[in-house]
Amino acid sequence: MDTMRADYYILQDGILKRKENTVYFENKGERRVLPINKIYSIYAYGKLSFSSGVVSYLSKNGIPIHFFNYYGFYEGSMYPRETLISGDLVIQQAAQYLDDDKRMQLAGKFIEGACGNILKNLKYYSRSREDIQKNIDSYISSIESEILRLPDAHSIAGMMNVEGRIRNIYYSALDEIFPEEYRIVTRTRRPPGNKMNTLISFGNSLMYTTVLSEIYNTQLNPTISYLHEPFERRFSLALDVSEIFKPIIIDRIILKLVNKNMLDDNCFRGEIGDMLLSDKGKKIFLKEYNDKLGTTIKHKGLKRNVSYKRLIRLELYKLSKHVLGDEVYKPLVMWW
Amino acid sequence: MYVIVVYDIGVERLNKVRTFLKQYLNWVQNSVLEGELTKAEYMKVYSYLKQIINEDEDSIFFYRVRDKMYLGFDELGSRPAEIDTII
């Protein structure tokens, strides 16, 4: 199982080389050997140069590299040649998209899953924080009533609207939980306006790339999506699926970082209105992220322990089954 | 499983062993590598090394634990190599 391979996060500037049949990362102060058979994917946050051999060597071994720019935003991926190809699945995936009813059904499932997990997060805080329980409960019930409107939406745009409203309510609810300096107020991107927006943006782009790495390891085509439009120049299926995992993984990490006071002012750079994570902040976030992906929970159906990362893959398998007509897709909602 | 490999190999074969091991494990000290391996990977490493060494002269030890958490570990002095995945 591929969970034995590790994700490497490279924050420093340097050169990636092929040397002695494995991968070396080198710069002035550092020289690391990455065992080629143990790399799952590489997240490049620094300025990375490549020697000619390393790109083909990584591709040959099916290792994608995801690039993020100086600001921590996703730039693109070196996505190796697809080795898991199934024409049948791609055709079925497209057929699901072209049939409006079927597309809406799947799009709805992604929203349903995302909202189910959002509610789980809020319910946890409603139980554990008596001082704000009443407020959170009222947000919970307005999200619940929004979800009921989902079946009435007759277009993808209508569904996106419902989703947008739910997200707004969710962010207001989170603002009750977060201390003052970490309020979201309004969601802003590129550049994120304050600390919380910075954390959300950073986390979401990480989530997107992790899902993309997982899609690479299935036969699904990453460009055919349902909730998001597939004609954007992005692997939009990864956007669809990451909706489900953002509340489970990213939001929980952020809540932990903030509630346990793990971040200080040195973790951010820039000013309010143009706030970014510093290297220190990135490092802390990435460590939590990596630990989270490796955390295991007991899976009810499989009756064994699976990691969060594995859950993403299982979700994609469920999606393939749905597309092929084997089993109706039921989005993952945290049972723990 | 978590594996620590310690070797003592004749100079003629040393490079072959070292470069092969580096594809699977993290180098932590001269002649010491460690890391997580699946059963299949372990078999692969074990049998490949068995082929290329001279069993009369060379020696390789494989220390295995089911999980790294069962491994007692203390450290002294300065580290020659970091093996963190966040670089």
Side-chain angles (χ1 to χ4, degrees):
Chain A
M1 197 166 75
D2 262 337
T3 42
M4 294 309 246
R5 291 181 174 227
D7 288 318
Y8 283 84
Y9 306 89
I10 302 177
L11 292 159
Q12 302 181 34
D13 298 348
I15 304 172
L16 217 53
K17 283 185 186 168
R18 173 178 179 172
K19 201 167 168 182
E20 295 184 325
N21 262 336
T22 193
V23 180
Y24 276 63
F25 169 80
E26 287 179 4
N27 65 15
K28 265 187 196 149
E30 199 119 21
R31 180 183 210 220
R32 296 278 187 96
V33 190
L34 320 184
I36 182 78
N37 291 300
K38 296 273 110 189
I39 310 174
Y40 189 74
S41 46
I42 296 175
Y43 293 75
Y45 282 92
K47 280 198 211 86
L48 214 51
S49 315
F50 295 93
S51 78
S52 57
V54 79
V55 173
S56 65
Y57 194 47
L58 288 169
S59 303
K60 209 179 279 168
N61 284 280
I63 300 163
I65 314 176
H66 305 296
F67 296 98
F68 299 83
N69 66 10
Y70 173 75
Y71 306 102
F73 295 131
Y74 177 65
E75 293 255 275
S77 302
M78 200 273 302
Y79 196 75
R81 180 174 68 88
E82 287 270 6
T83 48
L84 295 167
I85 302 169
S86 159
D88 184 32
L89 185 63
V90 174
I91 291 167
Q92 297 298 337
Q93 233 186 299
Q96 293 273 331
Y97 170 79
L98 292 170
D99 182 320
D100 275 348
D101 284 343
K102 287 185 178 167
R103 180 184 173 190
M104 297 258 289
Q105 193 199 342
L106 261 183
K109 299 274 167 133
F110 290 124
I111 298 178
E112 229 174 77
C115 294
N117 290 316
I118 280 173
L119 285 172
K120 278 274 173 174
N121 278 352
L122 291 182
K123 279 176 185 161
Y124 170 80
Y125 282 96
S126 153
R127 279 197 306 274
S128 64
R129 292 272 302 269
E130 271 179 28
D131 51 327
I132 47 172
Q133 191 177 18
K134 264 206 180 118
N135 292 343
I136 292 189
D137 283 344
S138 75
Y139 286 119
I140 289 177
S141 49
S142 35
I143 289 179
E144 278 167 343
S145 60
E146 281 291 342
I147 295 176
L148 296 177
R149 290 174 157 187
L150 204 55
D152 298 334
H154 294 296
S155 63
I156 294 289
M159 286 179 140
M160 289 284 239
N161 277 339
V162 175
E163 201 233 339
R165 278 200 297 276
I166 291 173
R167 234 164 240 286
N168 277 337
I169 303 169
Y170 178 50
Y171 288 143
S172 315
L174 288 182
D175 275 352
E176 301 270 344
I177 300 165
F178 291 132
E180 191 159 2
E181 77 172 304
Y182 283 104
R183 300 263 150 92
I184 303 163
V185 194
T186 48
R187 181 79 180 99
T188 49
R189 306 155 232 243
R190 290 182 184 259
N194 55 31
K195 287 183 179 176
M196 192 46 70
N197 276 296
T198 303
L199 292 170
I200 294 175
S201 289
F202 186 80
N204 286 353
S205 59
L206 252 181
M207 196 69 250
Y208 166 80
T209 43
T210 302
V211 173
L212 183 58
S213 279
E214 291 301 316
I215 294 177
Y216 175 73
N217 286 292
T218 69
Q219 300 186 320
L220 288 163
N221 184 307
T223 58
I224 305 174
S225 59
Y226 303 97
L227 180 59
H228 296 83
E229 288 298 339
F231 41 72
E232 290 175 53
R233 277 152 295 173
R234 281 193 290 183
F235 295 122
S236 39
L237 186 63
L239 292 173
D240 282 6
V241 176
S242 49
E243 291 295 332
I244 293 172
F245 289 95
K246 280 191 289 196
I248 304 181
I249 294 174
I250 303 301
D251 299 352
R252 293 218 153 180
I253 289 173
I254 296 175
L255 284 158
K256 178 180 172 191
L257 291 176
V258 172
N259 289 338
K260 293 203 167 169
N261 236 334
M262 294 165 74
L263 301 169
D264 57 35
D265 284 339
N266 290 331
C267 294
F268 296 90
R269 61 196 164 94
E271 300 155 17
I272 303 224
D274 185 6
M275 185 80 87
L276 295 163
L277 276 179
S278 67
D279 275 355
K280 185 184 173 200
K282 281 181 200 161
K283 225 174 211 169
I284 293 173
F285 199 112
L286 289 171
K287 175 157 191 328
E288 285 304 315
Y289 185 74
N290 201 33
D291 289 350
K292 189 73 159 185
L293 287 182
T295 309
T296 57
I297 43 151
K298 185 97 178 168
H299 193 283
K300 280 187 301 187
L302 297 176
K303 294 198 172 57
R304 62 179 170 85
N305 286 333
V306 292
S307 66
Y308 278 70
K309 196 174 191 182
R310 193 70 187 166
L311 284 175
I312 304 175
R313 183 82 73 84
L314 292 173
E315 204 62 11
L316 295 167
Y317 289 154
K318 283 196 289 183
L319 195 60
S320 315
K321 280 191 175 166
H322 176 96
V323 168
L324 293 171
D326 287 346
E327 211 171 285
V328 178
Y329 174 62
K330 215 169 133 258
L332 167 75
V333 175
M334 283 183 273
W335 62 80
W336 59 93
Chain B
M1 72 183 104
Y2 198 77
V3 183
I4 301 169
V5 181
V6 182
Y7 59 77
D8 220 328
I9 307 278
V11 144
E12 319 83 71
R13 293 169 297 278
L14 181 64
N15 259 337
K16 213 165 186 187
V17 169
R18 192 174 50 85
T19 49
F20 175 73
L21 280 171
K22 273 206 286 197
Q23 294 169 30
Y24 288 89
L25 296 160
N26 299 298
W27 177 79
V28 285
Q29 273 189 356
N30 290 335
S31 313
V32 183
L33 292 103
E34 63 177 66
E36 196 72 42
L37 291 181
T38 62
K39 232 181 205 162
E41 283 170 334
Y42 178 72
M43 295 306 288
K44 216 188 223 165
V45 170
Y46 184 90
S47 55
Y48 179 79
L49 291 176
K50 192 175 159 65
Q51 275 174 39
I52 61 168
I53 62 166
N54 178 343
E55 292 194 52
D56 298 330
E57 288 176 32
D58 304 335
S59 145
I60 305 182
F61 294 163
F62 302 84
Y63 297 93
R64 297 173 286 148
V65 267
R66 189 130 53 99
D67 193 298
K68 197 182 177 183
M69 68 189 228
Y70 298 122
L71 182 74
F73 175 72
D74 299 305
E75 190 176 351
L76 265 178
S78 57
R79 224 167 217 276
E82 289 287 340
I83 53 171
D84 200 1
T85 56
I86 302 174
I87 302 168

